[in-house]
Amino acid sequence: MKKVIVFSVLFITNFLFSQEFVLTNDNFKEKASPEKNYYVIEVSGKTQSELYKKTKIYITGKYKGVKNDGYNEVEPEQIVLDVYGSKEKTIIINFAGANIWTVSNRYEINFKDNKVMIKPVFIELQNTIESNTTASISSLFNKKGEPKKEKAIEFIQSETNEFILELIENLKTDKSNDW
């Protein structure tokens, strides 16, 4: 039993870090291949339409009322959505005013038979108390591209990678539609 648990933990950890994105001053890059700003998931035995439909069901379940100006689709080839993350975090970015932030990202998701390509793009941090206050990527990195606000960057990466991991898990599992 211990071997099964250890193997499961190692498999999940490897799976988690195989598609991890890091935020740079040039936006998201794949950690394993820093020249790439997207990740391709192999889902054998699924058609383009099946993958599209499964992703659409996942997105509408996770983000209620997502169909607005920040949602576009070309069935069954692509879904592009602008969404706010599900978490808020207190991070000192400016010393005046409230510093409770949520992540705003764009996800471009493209579909082919047996493959899904995910490309995250960081838009901004949105202040949840003062709605007209935002923090762009230039607020997080200095002119040399070095991180200025490491906690904010970690928060953005965590929120983004969590979304992608949940989407991948959803695409790779076959859940029954039985009620």
Side-chain angles (χ1 to χ4, degrees), residues 39-92:
Y39 182 72
V40 177
I41 306 154
E42 300 275 341
V43 188
S44 60
K46 299 285 183 190
T47 66
Q48 180 183 34
S49 294
E50 289 172 319
L51 292 168
Y52 172 85
K53 183 177 179 182
K54 222 172 168 180
T55 301
K56 189 171 179 177
I57 290 170
Y58 166 75
I59 288 169
T60 55
K62 182 169 178 77
Y63 299 104
K64 308 295 186 235
V66 74
K67 286 245 180 181
N68 57 25
D69 288 341
Y71 181 88
N72 297 294
E73 60 185 41
V74 178
E75 187 174 344
E77 297 173 15
Q78 182 182 65
I79 296 174
V80 178
L81 68 152
D82 296 344
V83 293
Y84 289 108
S86 58
K87 297 178 183 135
E88 296 177 347
K89 187 164 184 160
T90 303
I91 303 168
I92 305 300

Side-chain angles (χ1 to χ4, degrees), residues 43 46 54 166-175:
V43 188
K46 299 285 183 190
K54 222 172 168 180
E166 287 175 2
L167 177 60
I168 291 170
E169 286 177 13
N170 183 64
L171 290 170
K172 291 198 173 196
T173 58
D174 284 327
K175 295 180 183 174

